């Protein structure tokens, strides 16, 4: 019988080694994640370790912050702040993620503080738009629905356009109001989602050290006091002008003679939404067939919508085409290269014109009221003109088309009604504004007849009838002058 050498057999040594390894691993695991979420808010004054060089530091005043305390590669002990802790601060889970990143730098022989400084130098001028685009790129793999990704990109590009070029560390509550206010009542669900997306982007920027302080996009205790709180599913009514006053509004709008005013008139005559109008691209128009096809990604109902174009709308598009900048695909380009008008444009025009209680979206209601009161248009036709989804499944089953030609008749009538004062007959009448209002008649031979009209005759609430009378007076004045000669 062979005797066994003193000591432990090799197989037992291996088993014992594995056991000791597991015990050591368990001991190491216990040195991490020591604190609980509740303790973060309740721990007393002092410095409390969560393991892995992460500390919760509580001052005598009760202020709480996260710190990563470590020995740098050069042997010096350093402390890197990771942001405020507690309510509205950096969460425990986020602090652990940041500490893990710092430990990874140490394992690679790099100083975390030096790395942070380098990153900030590289991205110190990073704009909101650049960071938002990168945020979507980093997360889209986890969003299984391609439509969800497209919605993130569209809202953070189109609706957040006013802040895209601004440094992300300079975004304020006022900036959020500028972005959200024009669409908050017009497309409330999209506006709410946009606010949440901006909040996520700004939170991510703070975690990366690009921002400090409160998130200006936060709703609770912040924007809830500045924007109307629409309940989910609640019907939203938009301040609208009485439809008989719409022609007068357009007449005064034309006095501006700007691209923005033509875009506004275009929106009124097509009964479309602000975003649909300012986002219009030349490629969407078939001028020979007088049709504008809005792609589904720009529609609230997420399905394409064909809009029949009246002669006046065609004229506006053709004017834009004649002065088109090849570098900008938009019919109504904005100041920034390759961008459309800001979604604040129409709101500012309304305010300058003295209509405090009117919204751009409200003109869709004016159109709807006019169609109901002044025409015998079937309900489905006017609903389709507004790109509303017909709620009745039975009606949808029988109406598989989009009633384009019937809608064309309706939109032509609407344009005739709105433009009545500007197109009285085959002679051209022009209204100009200087120190007083003037009605000018131009004849083919170049002669003009001018009649002064008081401010009270043409004001912010002028009707088509009243301006029509003023123009008729101009014509009569010219005729009387010819007779006296």
């Amino acid at each position: 019988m062979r005797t066994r050498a003193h000591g432990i057999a090799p197989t037992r040594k291996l088993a014992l080694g594995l056991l000791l390894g597991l015990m050591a691993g368990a001991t190491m695991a216990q040195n991490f994640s020591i604190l609980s979420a509740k303790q973060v808010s309740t721990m007393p004054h002092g410095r409390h370790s969560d393991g892995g060089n992460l500390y919760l530091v509580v001052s005598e005043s009760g202020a709480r912050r996260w710190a990563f305390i470590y020995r740098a590669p050069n042997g010096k002990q350093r402390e890197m702040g990771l942001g405020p802790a507690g309510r509205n601060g950096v969460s425990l889970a986020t602090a652990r993620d940041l500490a893990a990143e710092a430990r990874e730098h140490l394992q690679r022989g790099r100083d975390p503080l030096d790395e942070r400084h380098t990153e900030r130098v590289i991205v110190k001028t990073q704009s909101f738009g650049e960071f938002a685009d990168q945020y979507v790129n980093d997360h889209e793999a986890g969003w299984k629905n391609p439509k969800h990704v497209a919605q993130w990109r569209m809202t953070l590009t189109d609706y957040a356009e006013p802040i895209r070029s601004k440094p992300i560390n300079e975004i304020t509550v006022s900036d959020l109001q500028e972005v959200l206010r024009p669409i908050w009542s017009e497309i409330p669900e999209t506006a709410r989602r946009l606010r949440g997306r901006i909040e996520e982007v700004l939170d991510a920027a703070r975690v990366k050290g690009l921002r400090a302080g409160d998130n200006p996009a936060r709703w609770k205790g912040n924007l809830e006091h500045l924007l109307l709180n629409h309940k989910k599913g609640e019907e939203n009514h938009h301040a609208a002008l009485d439809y008989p006053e719409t022609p007068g509004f357009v007449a005064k709008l034309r006095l501006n003679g700007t691209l923005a005013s033509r875009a506004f008139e275009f929106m009124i005559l097509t009964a479309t939404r602000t975003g649909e109008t300012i986002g219009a691209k030349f490629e969407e128009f078939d001028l020979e067939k007088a049709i504008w096809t809005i792609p589904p990604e720009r529609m609230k109902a997420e399905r394409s919508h064909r809009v029949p174009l009246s002669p006046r709308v065609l004229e506006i598009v053709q004017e834009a085409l004649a002065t088109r900048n090849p570098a900008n695909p938009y019919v109504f380009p904005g100041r920034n290269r390759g961008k459309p008008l800001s979604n604040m444009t129409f709101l500012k025009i309304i305010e300058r014109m003295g209509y405090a209680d009117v919204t751009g979206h409200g003109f869709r209601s004016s159109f709807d009221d006019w169609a109901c009161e002044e025409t015998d248009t079937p309900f489905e036709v006017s609903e389709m003109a507004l790109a509303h989804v017909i709620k009745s499944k039975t009606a949808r089953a029988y109406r598989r088309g989009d009633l384009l030609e019937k809608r064309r008749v309706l939109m032509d009538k609407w344009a005739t009604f709105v433009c009545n004062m500007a197109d009285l007959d085959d002679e051209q009448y022009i209204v100009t504004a200087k120190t007083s209002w003037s009605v000018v008649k131009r004849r083919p031979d170049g002669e003009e007849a001018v009649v002064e009209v008081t401010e009270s005759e043409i004001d912010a609430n002028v009707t088509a009838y009243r301006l029509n009378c003023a123009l008729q007076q101009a014509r009569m004045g010219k005729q009387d002058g010819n007779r006296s000669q």
Side-chain angles (χ1 to χ4, degrees), residues 320-351:
L321 187 61
T323 58
R324 178 184 181 181
N325 179 353
N328 197 316
Y330 295 98
V331 177
F332 306 110
R335 294 180 179 178
N336 295 329
R337 182 181 177 84
K339 298 293 183 180
L341 287 173
S342 165
N343 55 9
M344 280 288 291
T345 301
F346 298 155
L347 181 63
K348 291 178 179 178
I349 289 176
I350 289 171
E351 291 176 346

PDB file of all heavy atoms in Angstrom, residues 320-351:
ATOM      1  N   ALA A 320     -41.843  82.017 -53.243  1.00  0.00           N
ATOM      2  CA  ALA A 320     -40.737  81.454 -52.471  1.00  0.00           C
ATOM      3  C   ALA A 320     -39.765  80.710 -53.372  1.00  0.00           C
ATOM      4  O   ALA A 320     -38.542  80.776 -53.185  1.00  0.00           O
ATOM      5  CB  ALA A 320     -41.286  80.520 -51.391  1.00  0.00           C
ATOM      6  N   LEU A 321     -40.294  80.019 -54.376  1.00  0.00           N
ATOM      7  CA  LEU A 321     -39.458  79.269 -55.304  1.00  0.00           C
ATOM      8  C   LEU A 321     -38.574  80.199 -56.124  1.00  0.00           C
ATOM      9  O   LEU A 321     -37.412  79.886 -56.418  1.00  0.00           O
ATOM     10  CB  LEU A 321     -40.351  78.432 -56.221  1.00  0.00           C
ATOM     11  CG  LEU A 321     -39.657  77.441 -57.163  1.00  0.00           C
ATOM     12  CD1 LEU A 321     -38.866  76.409 -56.356  1.00  0.00           C
ATOM     13  CD2 LEU A 321     -40.678  76.748 -58.050  1.00  0.00           C
ATOM     14  N   ALA A 322     -39.101  81.352 -56.459  1.00  0.00           N
ATOM     15  CA  ALA A 322     -38.352  82.316 -57.281  1.00  0.00           C
ATOM     16  C   ALA A 322     -37.153  82.895 -56.541  1.00  0.00           C
ATOM     17  O   ALA A 322     -36.172  83.302 -57.160  1.00  0.00           O
ATOM     18  CB  ALA A 322     -39.281  83.440 -57.726  1.00  0.00           C
ATOM     19  N   THR A 323     -37.228  82.940 -55.213  1.00  0.00           N
ATOM     20  CA  THR A 323     -36.133  83.502 -54.411  1.00  0.00           C
ATOM     21  C   THR A 323     -35.440  82.426 -53.587  1.00  0.00           C
ATOM     22  O   THR A 323     -34.777  82.729 -52.594  1.00  0.00           O
ATOM     23  CB  THR A 323     -36.676  84.594 -53.472  1.00  0.00           C
ATOM     24  OG1 THR A 323     -37.703  84.027 -52.622  1.00  0.00           O
ATOM     25  CG2 THR A 323     -37.271  85.748 -54.261  1.00  0.00           C
ATOM     26  N   ARG A 324     -35.593  81.187 -54.004  1.00  0.00           N
ATOM     27  CA  ARG A 324     -35.087  80.057 -53.217  1.00  0.00           C
ATOM     28  C   ARG A 324     -33.569  80.062 -53.107  1.00  0.00           C
ATOM     29  O   ARG A 324     -32.862  80.322 -54.074  1.00  0.00           O
ATOM     30  CB  ARG A 324     -35.540  78.743 -53.852  1.00  0.00           C
ATOM     31  CG  ARG A 324     -35.014  77.510 -53.139  1.00  0.00           C
ATOM     32  CD  ARG A 324     -35.401  76.230 -53.866  1.00  0.00           C
ATOM     33  NE  ARG A 324     -34.905  75.056 -53.163  1.00  0.00           N
ATOM     34  CZ  ARG A 324     -35.070  73.812 -53.563  1.00  0.00           C
ATOM     35  NH1 ARG A 324     -35.714  73.574 -54.706  1.00  0.00           N
ATOM     36  NH2 ARG A 324     -34.599  72.801 -52.861  1.00  0.00           N
ATOM     37  N   ASN A 325     -33.091  79.746 -51.906  1.00  0.00           N
ATOM     38  CA  ASN A 325     -31.668  79.534 -51.672  1.00  0.00           C
ATOM     39  C   ASN A 325     -31.407  78.034 -51.801  1.00  0.00           C
ATOM     40  O   ASN A 325     -31.942  77.245 -51.022  1.00  0.00           O
ATOM     41  CB  ASN A 325     -31.279  80.015 -50.270  1.00  0.00           C
ATOM     42  CG  ASN A 325     -29.805  79.791 -49.964  1.00  0.00           C
ATOM     43  OD1 ASN A 325     -29.080  79.154 -50.731  1.00  0.00           O
ATOM     44  ND2 ASN A 325     -29.364  80.300 -48.829  1.00  0.00           N
ATOM     45  N   PRO A 326     -30.623  77.597 -52.779  1.00  0.00           N
ATOM     46  CA  PRO A 326     -30.401  76.164 -52.994  1.00  0.00           C
ATOM     47  C   PRO A 326     -29.885  75.426 -51.767  1.00  0.00           C
ATOM     48  O   PRO A 326     -30.065  74.212 -51.647  1.00  0.00           O
ATOM     49  CB  PRO A 326     -29.364  76.136 -54.125  1.00  0.00           C
ATOM     50  CG  PRO A 326     -29.536  77.453 -54.824  1.00  0.00           C
ATOM     51  CD  PRO A 326     -29.893  78.428 -53.750  1.00  0.00           C
ATOM     52  N   ALA A 327     -29.273  76.164 -50.844  1.00  0.00           N
ATOM     53  CA  ALA A 327     -28.709  75.522 -49.648  1.00  0.00           C
ATOM     54  C   ALA A 327     -29.767  75.255 -48.584  1.00  0.00           C
ATOM     55  O   ALA A 327     -29.477  74.587 -47.589  1.00  0.00           O
ATOM     56  CB  ALA A 327     -27.599  76.397 -49.062  1.00  0.00           C
ATOM     57  N   ASN A 328     -30.979  75.793 -48.784  1.00  0.00           N
ATOM     58  CA  ASN A 328     -32.031  75.616 -47.777  1.00  0.00           C
ATOM     59  C   ASN A 328     -33.243  74.943 -48.426  1.00  0.00           C
ATOM     60  O   ASN A 328     -33.814  75.482 -49.376  1.00  0.00           O
ATOM     61  CB  ASN A 328     -32.432  76.969 -47.182  1.00  0.00           C
ATOM     62  CG  ASN A 328     -33.200  76.812 -45.877  1.00  0.00           C
ATOM     63  OD1 ASN A 328     -34.093  75.971 -45.752  1.00  0.00           O
ATOM     64  ND2 ASN A 328     -32.872  77.638 -44.895  1.00  0.00           N
ATOM     65  N   PRO A 329     -33.653  73.778 -47.936  1.00  0.00           N
ATOM     66  CA  PRO A 329     -34.766  73.045 -48.565  1.00  0.00           C
ATOM     67  C   PRO A 329     -36.142  73.557 -48.173  1.00  0.00           C
ATOM     68  O   PRO A 329     -37.145  73.126 -48.740  1.00  0.00           O
ATOM     69  CB  PRO A 329     -34.563  71.617 -48.047  1.00  0.00           C
ATOM     70  CG  PRO A 329     -33.979  71.810 -46.683  1.00  0.00           C
ATOM     71  CD  PRO A 329     -33.072  73.014 -46.811  1.00  0.00           C
ATOM     72  N   TYR A 330     -36.195  74.483 -47.215  1.00  0.00           N
ATOM     73  CA  TYR A 330     -37.477  74.911 -46.678  1.00  0.00           C
ATOM     74  C   TYR A 330     -38.108  76.041 -47.498  1.00  0.00           C
ATOM     75  O   TYR A 330     -37.414  76.949 -47.962  1.00  0.00           O
ATOM     76  CB  TYR A 330     -37.329  75.358 -45.223  1.00  0.00           C
ATOM     77  CG  TYR A 330     -36.919  74.223 -44.306  1.00  0.00           C
ATOM     78  CD1 TYR A 330     -35.599  74.045 -43.935  1.00  0.00           C
ATOM     79  CD2 TYR A 330     -37.871  73.312 -43.834  1.00  0.00           C
ATOM     80  CE1 TYR A 330     -35.214  73.000 -43.111  1.00  0.00           C
ATOM     81  CE2 TYR A 330     -37.497  72.260 -43.001  1.00  0.00           C
ATOM     82  CZ  TYR A 330     -36.175  72.108 -42.655  1.00  0.00           C
ATOM     83  OH  TYR A 330     -35.817  71.072 -41.857  1.00  0.00           O
ATOM     84  N   VAL A 331     -39.431  75.973 -47.633  1.00  0.00           N
ATOM     85  CA  VAL A 331     -40.174  77.014 -48.346  1.00  0.00           C
ATOM     86  C   VAL A 331     -40.089  78.329 -47.587  1.00  0.00           C
ATOM     87  O   VAL A 331     -39.999  79.402 -48.179  1.00  0.00           O
ATOM     88  CB  VAL A 331     -41.651  76.595 -48.535  1.00  0.00           C
ATOM     89  CG1 VAL A 331     -42.452  77.708 -49.214  1.00  0.00           C
ATOM     90  CG2 VAL A 331     -41.741  75.308 -49.356  1.00  0.00           C
ATOM     91  N   PHE A 332     -40.090  78.235 -46.257  1.00  0.00           N
ATOM     92  CA  PHE A 332     -40.014  79.427 -45.412  1.00  0.00           C
ATOM     93  C   PHE A 332     -38.758  79.328 -44.541  1.00  0.00           C
ATOM     94  O   PHE A 332     -38.815  78.920 -43.375  1.00  0.00           O
ATOM     95  CB  PHE A 332     -41.277  79.544 -44.552  1.00  0.00           C
ATOM     96  CG  PHE A 332     -42.551  79.514 -45.354  1.00  0.00           C
ATOM     97  CD1 PHE A 332     -43.417  78.426 -45.287  1.00  0.00           C
ATOM     98  CD2 PHE A 332     -42.873  80.563 -46.199  1.00  0.00           C
ATOM     99  CE1 PHE A 332     -44.588  78.392 -46.030  1.00  0.00           C
ATOM    100  CE2 PHE A 332     -44.027  80.535 -46.965  1.00  0.00           C
ATOM    101  CZ  PHE A 332     -44.890  79.447 -46.874  1.00  0.00           C
ATOM    102  N   PRO A 333     -37.594  79.671 -45.130  1.00  0.00           N
ATOM    103  CA  PRO A 333     -36.326  79.511 -44.409  1.00  0.00           C
ATOM    104  C   PRO A 333     -36.176  80.488 -43.255  1.00  0.00           C
ATOM    105  O   PRO A 333     -36.700  81.605 -43.281  1.00  0.00           O
ATOM    106  CB  PRO A 333     -35.279  79.782 -45.496  1.00  0.00           C
ATOM    107  CG  PRO A 333     -35.980  80.685 -46.469  1.00  0.00           C
ATOM    108  CD  PRO A 333     -37.411  80.228 -46.475  1.00  0.00           C
ATOM    109  N   GLY A 334     -35.454  80.034 -42.231  1.00  0.00           N
ATOM    110  CA  GLY A 334     -35.185  80.890 -41.079  1.00  0.00           C
ATOM    111  C   GLY A 334     -33.866  81.614 -41.223  1.00  0.00           C
ATOM    112  O   GLY A 334     -33.218  81.571 -42.275  1.00  0.00           O
ATOM    113  N   ARG A 335     -33.432  82.240 -40.149  1.00  0.00           N
ATOM    114  CA  ARG A 335     -32.178  82.996 -40.192  1.00  0.00           C
ATOM    115  C   ARG A 335     -30.960  82.074 -40.207  1.00  0.00           C
ATOM    116  O   ARG A 335     -29.930  82.409 -40.776  1.00  0.00           O
ATOM    117  CB  ARG A 335     -32.097  83.928 -38.989  1.00  0.00           C
ATOM    118  CG  ARG A 335     -33.146  85.032 -38.992  1.00  0.00           C
ATOM    119  CD  ARG A 335     -33.003  85.917 -37.770  1.00  0.00           C
ATOM    120  NE  ARG A 335     -33.982  87.001 -37.765  1.00  0.00           N
ATOM    121  CZ  ARG A 335     -34.096  87.895 -36.794  1.00  0.00           C
ATOM    122  NH1 ARG A 335     -33.278  87.844 -35.750  1.00  0.00           N
ATOM    123  NH2 ARG A 335     -35.015  88.837 -36.865  1.00  0.00           N
ATOM    124  N   ASN A 336     -31.093  80.926 -39.527  1.00  0.00           N
ATOM    125  CA  ASN A 336     -29.969  79.994 -39.463  1.00  0.00           C
ATOM    126  C   ASN A 336     -29.878  79.177 -40.752  1.00  0.00           C
ATOM    127  O   ASN A 336     -30.898  78.747 -41.295  1.00  0.00           O
ATOM    128  CB  ASN A 336     -30.120  79.062 -38.262  1.00  0.00           C
ATOM    129  CG  ASN A 336     -30.052  79.821 -36.945  1.00  0.00           C
ATOM    130  OD1 ASN A 336     -29.376  80.844 -36.843  1.00  0.00           O
ATOM    131  ND2 ASN A 336     -30.743  79.326 -35.944  1.00  0.00           N
ATOM    132  N   ARG A 337     -28.666  78.966 -41.197  1.00  0.00           N
ATOM    133  CA  ARG A 337     -28.424  78.265 -42.461  1.00  0.00           C
ATOM    134  C   ARG A 337     -29.063  76.874 -42.440  1.00  0.00           C
ATOM    135  O   ARG A 337     -28.839  76.072 -41.533  1.00  0.00           O
ATOM    136  CB  ARG A 337     -26.916  78.161 -42.696  1.00  0.00           C
ATOM    137  CG  ARG A 337     -26.533  77.482 -44.001  1.00  0.00           C
ATOM    138  CD  ARG A 337     -25.022  77.402 -44.134  1.00  0.00           C
ATOM    139  NE  ARG A 337     -24.606  76.708 -45.339  1.00  0.00           N
ATOM    140  CZ  ARG A 337     -24.490  77.271 -46.526  1.00  0.00           C
ATOM    141  NH1 ARG A 337     -24.750  78.557 -46.655  1.00  0.00           N
ATOM    142  NH2 ARG A 337     -24.110  76.576 -47.578  1.00  0.00           N
ATOM    143  N   GLY A 338     -29.853  76.596 -43.474  1.00  0.00           N
ATOM    144  CA  GLY A 338     -30.462  75.280 -43.616  1.00  0.00           C
ATOM    145  C   GLY A 338     -31.594  74.993 -42.654  1.00  0.00           C
ATOM    146  O   GLY A 338     -32.027  73.851 -42.521  1.00  0.00           O
ATOM    147  N   LYS A 339     -32.117  76.015 -41.990  1.00  0.00           N
ATOM    148  CA  LYS A 339     -33.174  75.824 -40.999  1.00  0.00           C
ATOM    149  C   LYS A 339     -34.437  76.576 -41.425  1.00  0.00           C
ATOM    150  O   LYS A 339     -34.373  77.567 -42.150  1.00  0.00           O
ATOM    151  CB  LYS A 339     -32.730  76.327 -39.624  1.00  0.00           C
ATOM    152  CG  LYS A 339     -31.527  75.578 -39.051  1.00  0.00           C
ATOM    153  CD  LYS A 339     -31.870  74.146 -38.713  1.00  0.00           C
ATOM    154  CE  LYS A 339     -30.690  73.433 -38.085  1.00  0.00           C
ATOM    155  NZ  LYS A 339     -31.024  72.031 -37.758  1.00  0.00           N
ATOM    156  N   PRO A 340     -35.617  76.129 -40.942  1.00  0.00           N
ATOM    157  CA  PRO A 340     -36.860  76.841 -41.255  1.00  0.00           C
ATOM    158  C   PRO A 340     -37.089  77.985 -40.270  1.00  0.00           C
ATOM    159  O   PRO A 340     -36.268  78.215 -39.364  1.00  0.00           O
ATOM    160  CB  PRO A 340     -37.919  75.756 -41.078  1.00  0.00           C
ATOM    161  CG  PRO A 340     -37.370  74.908 -39.976  1.00  0.00           C
ATOM    162  CD  PRO A 340     -35.874  74.885 -40.198  1.00  0.00           C
ATOM    163  N   LEU A 341     -38.191  78.680 -40.431  1.00  0.00           N
ATOM    164  CA  LEU A 341     -38.580  79.715 -39.473  1.00  0.00           C
ATOM    165  C   LEU A 341     -38.732  79.098 -38.081  1.00  0.00           C
ATOM    166  O   LEU A 341     -39.065  77.923 -37.942  1.00  0.00           O
ATOM    167  CB  LEU A 341     -39.915  80.346 -39.883  1.00  0.00           C
ATOM    168  CG  LEU A 341     -39.933  81.281 -41.091  1.00  0.00           C
ATOM    169  CD1 LEU A 341     -41.374  81.645 -41.433  1.00  0.00           C
ATOM    170  CD2 LEU A 341     -39.130  82.551 -40.817  1.00  0.00           C
ATOM    171  N   SER A 342     -38.529  79.918 -37.073  1.00  0.00           N
ATOM    172  CA  SER A 342     -38.726  79.460 -35.696  1.00  0.00           C
ATOM    173  C   SER A 342     -40.210  79.269 -35.418  1.00  0.00           C
ATOM    174  O   SER A 342     -41.063  79.977 -35.969  1.00  0.00           O
ATOM    175  CB  SER A 342     -38.154  80.497 -34.723  1.00  0.00           C
ATOM    176  OG  SER A 342     -38.616  80.257 -33.403  1.00  0.00           O
ATOM    177  N   ASN A 343     -40.538  78.309 -34.544  1.00  0.00           N
ATOM    178  CA  ASN A 343     -41.948  78.113 -34.202  1.00  0.00           C
ATOM    179  C   ASN A 343     -42.490  79.234 -33.322  1.00  0.00           C
ATOM    180  O   ASN A 343     -43.670  79.240 -32.986  1.00  0.00           O
ATOM    181  CB  ASN A 343     -42.162  76.751 -33.520  1.00  0.00           C
ATOM    182  CG  ASN A 343     -41.276  76.570 -32.290  1.00  0.00           C
ATOM    183  OD1 ASN A 343     -40.628  77.500 -31.836  1.00  0.00           O
ATOM    184  ND2 ASN A 343     -41.246  75.366 -31.773  1.00  0.00           N
ATOM    185  N   MET A 344     -41.631  80.182 -32.951  1.00  0.00           N
ATOM    186  CA  MET A 344     -42.082  81.360 -32.201  1.00  0.00           C
ATOM    187  C   MET A 344     -42.535  82.479 -33.134  1.00  0.00           C
ATOM    188  O   MET A 344     -43.133  83.458 -32.684  1.00  0.00           O
ATOM    189  CB  MET A 344     -40.939  81.883 -31.323  1.00  0.00           C
ATOM    190  CG  MET A 344     -40.734  81.114 -30.037  1.00  0.00           C
ATOM    191  SD  MET A 344     -42.050  81.426 -28.852  1.00  0.00           S
ATOM    192  CE  MET A 344     -41.709  83.135 -28.420  1.00  0.00           C
ATOM    193  N   THR A 345     -42.246  82.360 -34.421  1.00  0.00           N
ATOM    194  CA  THR A 345     -42.457  83.444 -35.375  1.00  0.00           C
ATOM    195  C   THR A 345     -43.891  83.948 -35.383  1.00  0.00           C
ATOM    196  O   THR A 345     -44.144  85.157 -35.271  1.00  0.00           O
ATOM    197  CB  THR A 345     -42.062  82.989 -36.791  1.00  0.00           C
ATOM    198  OG1 THR A 345     -40.691  82.591 -36.793  1.00  0.00           O
ATOM    199  CG2 THR A 345     -42.256  84.120 -37.790  1.00  0.00           C
ATOM    200  N   PHE A 346     -44.849  83.050 -35.521  1.00  0.00           N
ATOM    201  CA  PHE A 346     -46.246  83.463 -35.656  1.00  0.00           C
ATOM    202  C   PHE A 346     -46.766  84.089 -34.367  1.00  0.00           C
ATOM    203  O   PHE A 346     -47.555  85.038 -34.395  1.00  0.00           O
ATOM    204  CB  PHE A 346     -47.121  82.278 -36.072  1.00  0.00           C
ATOM    205  CG  PHE A 346     -46.751  81.695 -37.405  1.00  0.00           C
ATOM    206  CD1 PHE A 346     -47.053  80.377 -37.715  1.00  0.00           C
ATOM    207  CD2 PHE A 346     -46.080  82.445 -38.349  1.00  0.00           C
ATOM    208  CE1 PHE A 346     -46.702  79.829 -38.946  1.00  0.00           C
ATOM    209  CE2 PHE A 346     -45.723  81.918 -39.581  1.00  0.00           C
ATOM    210  CZ  PHE A 346     -46.031  80.601 -39.874  1.00  0.00           C
ATOM    211  N   LEU A 347     -46.329  83.547 -33.240  1.00  0.00           N
ATOM    212  CA  LEU A 347     -46.753  84.110 -31.955  1.00  0.00           C
ATOM    213  C   LEU A 347     -46.278  85.555 -31.813  1.00  0.00           C
ATOM    214  O   LEU A 347     -47.024  86.430 -31.355  1.00  0.00           O
ATOM    215  CB  LEU A 347     -46.209  83.258 -30.810  1.00  0.00           C
ATOM    216  CG  LEU A 347     -46.593  83.698 -29.394  1.00  0.00           C
ATOM    217  CD1 LEU A 347     -48.099  83.614 -29.196  1.00  0.00           C
ATOM    218  CD2 LEU A 347     -45.873  82.854 -28.353  1.00  0.00           C
ATOM    219  N   LYS A 348     -45.055  85.820 -32.245  1.00  0.00           N
ATOM    220  CA  LYS A 348     -44.512  87.183 -32.160  1.00  0.00           C
ATOM    221  C   LYS A 348     -45.272  88.132 -33.091  1.00  0.00           C
ATOM    222  O   LYS A 348     -45.522  89.290 -32.748  1.00  0.00           O
ATOM    223  CB  LYS A 348     -43.024  87.172 -32.484  1.00  0.00           C
ATOM    224  CG  LYS A 348     -42.174  86.483 -31.420  1.00  0.00           C
ATOM    225  CD  LYS A 348     -40.709  86.452 -31.811  1.00  0.00           C
ATOM    226  CE  LYS A 348     -39.870  85.786 -30.731  1.00  0.00           C
ATOM    227  NZ  LYS A 348     -38.431  85.701 -31.114  1.00  0.00           N
ATOM    228  N   ILE A 349     -45.630  87.639 -34.284  1.00  0.00           N
ATOM    229  CA  ILE A 349     -46.403  88.461 -35.217  1.00  0.00           C
ATOM    230  C   ILE A 349     -47.755  88.827 -34.609  1.00  0.00           C
ATOM    231  O   ILE A 349     -48.195  89.981 -34.667  1.00  0.00           O
ATOM    232  CB  ILE A 349     -46.600  87.715 -36.557  1.00  0.00           C
ATOM    233  CG1 ILE A 349     -45.282  87.626 -37.321  1.00  0.00           C
ATOM    234  CG2 ILE A 349     -47.652  88.423 -37.416  1.00  0.00           C
ATOM    235  CD1 ILE A 349     -45.371  86.828 -38.608  1.00  0.00           C
ATOM    236  N   ILE A 350     -48.419  87.831 -34.020  1.00  0.00           N
ATOM    237  CA  ILE A 350     -49.725  88.060 -33.390  1.00  0.00           C
ATOM    238  C   ILE A 350     -49.626  89.118 -32.303  1.00  0.00           C
ATOM    239  O   ILE A 350     -50.460  90.025 -32.206  1.00  0.00           O
ATOM    240  CB  ILE A 350     -50.274  86.734 -32.821  1.00  0.00           C
ATOM    241  CG1 ILE A 350     -50.690  85.803 -33.959  1.00  0.00           C
ATOM    242  CG2 ILE A 350     -51.460  86.984 -31.899  1.00  0.00           C
ATOM    243  CD1 ILE A 350     -51.043  84.404 -33.504  1.00  0.00           C
ATOM    244  N   GLU A 351     -48.595  89.017 -31.483  1.00  0.00           N
ATOM    245  CA  GLU A 351     -48.415  89.976 -30.391  1.00  0.00           C
ATOM    246  C   GLU A 351     -48.163  91.381 -30.930  1.00  0.00           C
ATOM    247  O   GLU A 351     -48.696  92.360 -30.411  1.00  0.00           O
ATOM    248  CB  GLU A 351     -47.265  89.524 -29.490  1.00  0.00           C
ATOM    249  CG  GLU A 351     -47.600  88.261 -28.690  1.00  0.00           C
ATOM    250  CD  GLU A 351     -46.427  87.770 -27.866  1.00  0.00           C
ATOM    251  OE1 GLU A 351     -45.287  88.245 -28.107  1.00  0.00           O
ATOM    252  OE2 GLU A 351     -46.627  86.921 -26.988  1.00  0.00           O
TER     253      GLU A 351
END
